[in-house]
Amino acid sequence: MTPEQFQRVKTLVRQALERAPGEREAFLDSSCDDREVRAEVELLLRHRTSDGAVANVLRVAGEALGAAAGSRIGPYRLSRLLGEGGMGEVWLAEQQEPVERRVALKVIKAGMDTGEVVARFEAERQALAVMDHSAIARVYEAGETPRGRPYFVMEYVSGPPITKYCDRERLTIPERLELFVQVCEGVQHAHRRAILHRDLKPSNVLVATEGGRPAPKIIDFGLAKATTRRLTERTLQTQLGQVLGTPAYMSPEQLALGGEDVDTRTDVYSLGVLLYELLTGVLPFDAGELRRSDFDELRRRIREHEPPRPSSRLRQLGDAAREIAGRRGSEALAVTRTLRGELDWITIKALEKDRERRYGSAAELAQDIRRFLAHQPVLAAPPGVGYRARKFVRRNRLAVIAAGAVAVAVLAGFAGTAVGLVRALRAEQEARREALTASEVTEFMVGLFGVKGFRAPEQGDPTARELLERGAERIESELAAEPEVRTRLMHTMGRAYTGLGLLEEGERFYRAALDERRARLGDDHPETLAVVRDLGFFHWAFGPLDRAETLLEQAVEGYGRSVGVEHPETLRAMSDLANLYLRVGRMVEAEQLHRRVLATQRRVLGEDHPDTLESVLSLGAVFRDLGRYEEAERMCRLALEGQLRVLGDEHFATTSTKMSLARALRDLGRLEEAEPLLQQALDGFIRASGERQKPALKARLHLGELRRKQGRPAEAETLVRRVVEHWRSDLGTDHPDTLHAEYYLGLALGDLGRHDEAEPLLRSAFEGRRAVIGPGHPGTVRARDSLAALYAAMRMPERAADVLGDGPTPAR
């Protein structure tokens, strides 16, 4: 209300009180056409005292109208009302002394100074007072008006809400993320001061300009909650059933009755909603539906419904997506590609219903955003198939029963096969990229195939291979006019077919993708080199190894020319090549190249970067194959300590390192130390990708060999035989992993005295290794020595001598 309006109110109140009560309404009808003034006059007339004294009414008027423009509170002259909430008003004010500056003054509303409201007001004031961060509006002073109403003075932020600022300035996705990281840092600062905000939303994150650069400022800690300290001596409690906050931005636990079981992760959820809006221009849930819902329905939606991934939501917006993308300085298809994958994962992880699966802090969320911006692997990854299936059944229990268990089983089985096997293919060498591969394959199956349901059981359910073939046909028929999408999906199809063990089809799609990328982008473009590297890894796994070497060398040289010899992609390709050298027995070259990569990563990426830790582990593998078991153990422990710090105990790479350390301890004869690590690795791999995937089978294989060395060969046989059967079926009898498993099975049978069964297995392992990885490889030599020892136990010294004379001893 302006000063003029306030004066008009006082005049009309006086004049109205001079008339009889029955004449006042007609008087106001003829004298006042300002609806706001009329409403205030009527309010004051209802408050008039029994004797009708004008002075008392005007005193009530002064209190009821609160502050007015032009009035003063202490040394501050109020200029204009910036906003008001349920308990207070925020005014732009001018401070004259001891410094001249514009400030924001927040004062409690007259008539709202109940005990609970005053307690919340003081809590906000105290929360702001204990914080000092550039992304949080600062508090300058606090006091009380002559009428005893609390107020505090804080930094005036002249900018708009963060979403409006980003749209107005047409900030790109990376620019929005840079701004968002600063917001996360401010929230983390509050959390370190034991303060939860509990009402993070765009209108409470304003953007000012400082030094020509945008500077976000978090305001309005009116719902702040202290986690370890008292914010006020007054009683402040939430009544049962009272919900505080803005529902669209509230975490599921915040919407529980009482809403008191909250911690820092409730602010992480709100940050996730804000991030979603910054990326897509819309909320995770339809705002119109939320507004139309009653409270119980609103709670149910937010607590039970899974939001679509940002990239999927943008696609669903149709024509509106073009306008949204334009405000991000790009086109809809380009924005969707940017969001797909890592930004999808980061956002959905922040929005997890189960807070145990959310980022543990705003700092963790900010760190993953920084990883994305630096083109580094992010820690967020898509939820596992089993988790998604459980969530689906929980949400749709009756529908699942009605539809029948067959369809659910087919869906879960397909997803488990397609995603799990692709994850397993690259698990040991590229734990980070496997999650990207799995997500791309899933996106392709759902988006490109358009699978909305399944045929009735009696008609036969589609297999994973049928779905892949269906997708391959659609690539050929529908994507001729979109070469970039077509090539990306052909690359993905190569991974998918390979993950299913369909090697001929997998190689065909890899080569088709490589030909198209070379033709469109050239030999040294990073996207071309990504296919070269994947095809090299394909031959690393399935042969021939000389072709793998040629491709990986091309990848190293191409990355070096296009992005530089110290770029993370170049270093990853060099690490692949070093692992190939290790596989073919070129131990000296493998060690030299791994040491070179590790030294560069430590200098460029830092000691705790996931790629650096992976290289530490790879160097440990070289030491193990060289028989330098103490050095292998030291490197494995160094890698594990770093991964536990950076990635956490449940991460796939951490689990892989536990298995490597267990193997080193087993080779050192420290079997009791190795056993719990191997069991943890096996359990972790089963949780991550299922019992039949390669990581879990490898852990089972090494646990079997540990049992044999513990003098329990019968248990060893049971464990290892299962692995042999799976790998003979999935990989073929000549695959190095199959030969390795047969070797361990032969050792177990030999210890059981079943020499006739052991002999063909050990002979096959020796001959297969000699043919595939060469006679000088340490693995070949171990197989040779074990076969000779078996012949000696069978009293066949001539055969033992023949075997021992059949290959050289390895160079150490």
Side-chain angles (χ1 to χ4, degrees):
M1 178 170 290
T2 67
E4 293 76 13
Q5 287 176 311
F6 184 57
Q7 292 301 324
R8 181 67 173 149
V9 167
K10 292 198 293 185
T11 301
L12 288 171
V13 168
R14 283 196 187 92
Q15 293 173 350
L17 288 172
E18 293 170 355
R19 288 165 170 76
E23 299 174 357
R24 290 172 186 167
E25 185 173 354
F27 164 70
L28 292 176
D29 288 341
S30 62
S31 304
C32 181
D33 57 4
D34 186 323
R35 295 177 62 184
E36 186 177 359
V37 169
R38 170 74 177 263
E40 296 295 347
V41 170
E42 290 175 342
L43 174 66
L44 291 171
L45 290 174
R46 286 196 297 271
H47 279 78
R48 86 174 188 77
T49 55
S50 58
D51 60 6
V54 174
N56 284 343
V57 173
L58 291 178
R59 176 182 57 78
V60 175
E63 292 181 356
L65 289 172
S71 62
R72 299 181 69 88
I73 294 181
Y76 304 98
R77 186 177 65 83
L78 306 188
S79 297
R80 61 183 172 87
L81 186 65
L82 296 173
E84 59 180 312
M87 66 181 183
E89 299 172 336
V90 182
W91 287 81
L92 173 63
E94 303 290 340
Q95 181 179 1
Q96 303 298 326
E97 54 184 28
V99 295
E100 292 186 7
R101 61 184 171 188
R102 301 170 84 191
V103 298
L105 186 147
K106 185 167 186 175
V107 60
I108 207 165
K109 284 183 175 180
M112 292 298 297
D113 46 352
T114 65
E116 181 183 353
V117 171
V118 170
R120 290 199 178 280
F121 192 88
E122 291 184 355
E124 178 183 7
R125 185 168 69 183
Q126 183 60 28
L128 286 166
V130 301
M131 293 182 286
D132 181 19
H133 192 277
S134 61
I136 298 175
R138 295 185 296 276
V139 168
Y140 297 137
E141 186 182 354
E144 290 185 350
T145 69
R147 305 295 305 176
R149 288 159 50 207
Y151 73 88
F152 61 89
V153 181
M154 56 189 166
E155 176 183 4
Y156 170 57
V157 184
S158 61
I162 186 170
T163 48
K164 292 184 178 178
Y165 175 87
C166 290
D167 286 352
R168 185 188 74 190
E169 301 297 322
R170 297 173 65 86
L171 296 191
T172 64
I173 295 295
E175 289 169 337
R176 289 166 185 254
L177 293 175
E178 294 282 3
L179 212 56
F180 179 75
V181 165
Q182 297 178 53
V183 178
C184 291
E185 290 170 346
V187 173
Q188 182 65 24
H189 174 82
H191 291 173
R192 282 198 296 267
R193 297 295 189 273
I195 304 295
L196 310 182
H197 190 287
R198 298 200 296 174
D199 196 21
L200 291 167
K201 56 186 177 181
S203 59
N204 284 338
V205 183
L206 308 181
V207 181
T209 302
E210 296 179 352
R213 297 178 61 83
K217 303 284 183 179
I218 304 169
I219 64 169
D220 198 353
F221 278 77
L223 300 183
K225 174 184 175 69
T227 58
T228 62
R229 66 173 73 195
R230 290 177 66 92
L231 289 180
T232 175
E233 293 302 314
R234 297 176 185 265
T235 300
L236 195 164
Q237 64 183 24
T238 304
Q239 298 176 358
L240 182 64
Q242 182 180 9
V243 175
L244 300 173
T246 306
Y249 297 87
M250 290 169 66
S251 66
E253 63 269 20
Q254 205 175 353
L255 279 165
L257 293 180
E260 288 296 288
D261 182 24
V262 297
D263 55 27
T264 56
R265 292 168 294 184
T266 203
D267 280 348
V268 170
Y269 181 94
S270 300
L271 286 170
V273 179
L274 178 58
L275 175 61
Y276 198 107
E277 196 170 359
L278 286 170
L279 296 176
T280 67
V282 295
L283 291 166
F285 300 101
D286 185 272
E289 291 183 2
L290 291 182
R291 285 193 296 269
R292 290 190 295 271
S293 302
D294 61 28
F295 180 67
D296 288 338
E297 174 62 16
L298 182 146
R299 287 178 68 245
R300 189 185 68 79
R301 283 179 179 275
I302 292 178
R303 289 166 63 87
E304 298 179 11
H305 286 202
E306 298 292 343
R309 294 186 305 275
S311 61
S312 299
R313 186 62 187 279
L314 195 62
R315 286 198 304 270
Q316 294 167 4
L317 295 175
D319 292 340
R322 287 196 293 272
E323 182 180 349
I324 291 170
R327 291 196 290 266
R328 284 145 185 79
S330 187
E331 297 179 350
L333 184 58
V335 173
T336 301
R337 287 180 190 142
T338 301
L339 301 183
R340 185 184 299 130
E342 291 166 316
L343 287 179
D344 278 341
W345 307 340
I346 290 170
T347 309
I348 294 303
K349 183 175 177 68
L351 292 173
E352 279 284 359
K353 307 295 183 191
D354 180 358
R355 59 183 167 186
E356 296 298 328
R357 297 179 64 87
R358 255 177 247 156
Y359 289 102
S361 67
E364 288 183 15
L365 172 56
Q367 188 176 23
D368 239 7
I369 295 287
R370 289 194 196 94
R371 288 190 182 97
F372 171 81
L373 291 171
H375 306 291
Q376 297 172 1
V378 302
L379 302 188
V385 173
Y387 173 76
R388 291 198 302 273
R390 289 194 298 274
K391 296 280 282 186
F392 176 82
V393 173
R394 190 179 303 126
R395 292 194 309 272
N396 304 279
R397 190 177 304 276
L398 295 178
V400 168
I401 294 172
V406 174
V408 175
V410 171
L411 176 61
F414 166 70
T417 302
V419 179
L421 283 176
V422 174
R423 286 172 61 106
L425 176 68
R426 302 187 65 87
E428 291 179 273
Q429 305 302 325
E430 300 190 83
R432 294 289 191 279
R433 291 189 63 188
E434 60 155 16
L436 174 61
T437 302
S439 175
E440 287 177 337
V441 171
T442 303
E443 182 82 17
F444 183 40
M445 303 305 176
V446 176
L448 178 62
F449 290 179
V451 180
K452 299 179 188 282
F454 291 90
R455 297 169 295 194
E458 64 269 20
Q459 294 176 291
D461 295 312
T463 66
R465 181 167 188 163
E466 286 174 339
L467 289 173
L468 284 173
E469 290 172 351
R470 191 181 300 171
E473 292 173 1
R474 293 191 63 183
I475 288 176
E476 294 295 331
S477 62
E478 299 178 17
L479 295 176
E482 298 185 66
E484 187 173 346
V485 176
R486 169 188 167 89
T487 307
R488 177 180 174 83
L489 292 178
M490 291 172 73
H491 187 183
T492 300
M493 290 290 282
R495 289 171 171 166
Y497 271 118
T498 302
L500 291 173
L502 304 171
L503 304 186
E504 182 177 346
E505 294 89 339
E507 184 179 6
R508 176 168 61 84
F509 272 99
Y510 273 137
R511 293 204 168 278
L514 180 57
D515 290 343
E516 290 204 9
R517 282 194 172 162
R518 277 176 169 163
R520 284 196 311 108
L521 304 174
D523 288 345
D524 288 346
H525 192 282
E527 291 187 18
T528 304
L529 295 170
V531 187
V532 172
R533 186 174 168 221
D534 275 357
L535 188 55
F537 194 89
F538 173 91
H539 290 299
W540 185 98
F542 303 109
L545 295 178
D546 57 347
R547 190 174 300 170
E549 181 178 354
T550 299
L551 288 163
L552 291 176
E553 286 177 346
Q554 288 176 6
V556 170
E557 293 168 1
Y559 277 126
R561 288 190 296 267
S562 62
V563 296
V565 294
E566 295 188 346
H567 191 277
E569 287 296 338
T570 309
L571 296 173
R572 291 181 193 124
M574 291 169 67
S575 183
D576 282 349
L577 184 59
N579 287 327
L580 177 67
Y581 290 157
L582 178 64
R583 190 176 185 86
V584 299
R586 293 158 61 177
M587 313 303 292
V588 173
E589 292 172 85
E591 181 179 358
Q592 289 176 342
L593 188 52
H594 271 311
R595 285 188 181 278
R596 176 183 165 193
V597 170
L598 179 57
T600 305
Q601 287 172 329
R602 280 173 165 163
R603 176 167 49 81
V604 174
L605 303 177
E607 292 281 353
D608 279 351
H609 190 281
D611 287 3
T612 307
L613 297 172
E614 187 70 26
S615 290
V616 170
L617 186 63
S618 295
L619 191 55
V622 176
F623 292 151
R624 181 184 177 277
D625 273 4
L626 287 171
R628 292 152 58 180
Y629 299 130
E630 291 83 0
E631 292 175 86
E633 181 204 358
R634 181 172 59 83
M635 300 304 283
C636 289
R637 286 196 184 279
L638 185 62
L640 182 59
E641 290 167 2
Q643 289 168 336
L644 287 170
R645 280 195 308 273
V646 176
L647 306 177
D649 188 54
E650 290 294 317
H651 196 276
F652 196 92
T654 309
T655 305
S656 297
T657 302
K658 287 180 182 178
M659 183 169 69
S660 297
L661 176 58
R663 292 178 65 190
L665 292 169
R666 184 194 67 195
D667 293 334
L668 286 167
R670 292 153 60 182
L671 306 182
E672 299 310 311
E673 293 179 64
E675 183 173 3
L677 284 169
L678 268 178
Q679 190 62 56
Q680 289 174 32
L682 176 58
D683 294 342
F685 286 139
I686 290 174
R687 286 195 301 271
S689 57
E691 291 194 15
R692 185 161 176 170
Q693 308 314 320
K694 185 176 179 180
L697 292 173
K698 288 198 73 171
R700 195 179 300 279
L701 176 69
H702 293 303
L703 186 59
E705 175 61 3
L706 180 71
R707 292 280 183 264
R708 187 187 72 82
K709 290 198 171 187
Q710 289 175 324
R712 298 150 69 179
E715 294 177 47
E717 180 199 0
T718 300
L719 287 164
V720 176
R721 188 177 292 281
R722 183 174 174 183
V723 179
V724 169
E725 291 169 353
H726 283 316
W727 281 353
R728 281 175 174 169
S729 171
D730 293 344
L731 303 176
T733 57
D734 293 333
H735 192 278
D737 288 337
T738 306
L739 298 173
H740 192 50
E742 288 180 343
Y743 171 65
Y744 278 160
L745 180 58
L747 293 177
L749 292 171
D751 286 358
L752 287 168
R754 291 154 61 181
H755 298 156
D756 289 344
E757 296 176 67
E759 190 272 340
L761 292 168
L762 293 180
R763 177 163 42 83
S764 173
F766 168 53
E767 293 174 352
R769 287 182 176 182
R770 182 177 57 185
V772 174
I773 60 177
H777 193 282
T780 306
V781 174
R782 283 194 291 270
R784 181 200 66 189
D785 292 347
S786 297
L787 180 59
L790 179 70
Y791 282 139
M794 296 173 69
R795 301 182 184 280
M796 296 180 178
E798 297 84 1
R799 286 198 178 185
D802 289 344
V803 169
L804 290 173
D806 205 18
T809 56
R812 298 289 173 130

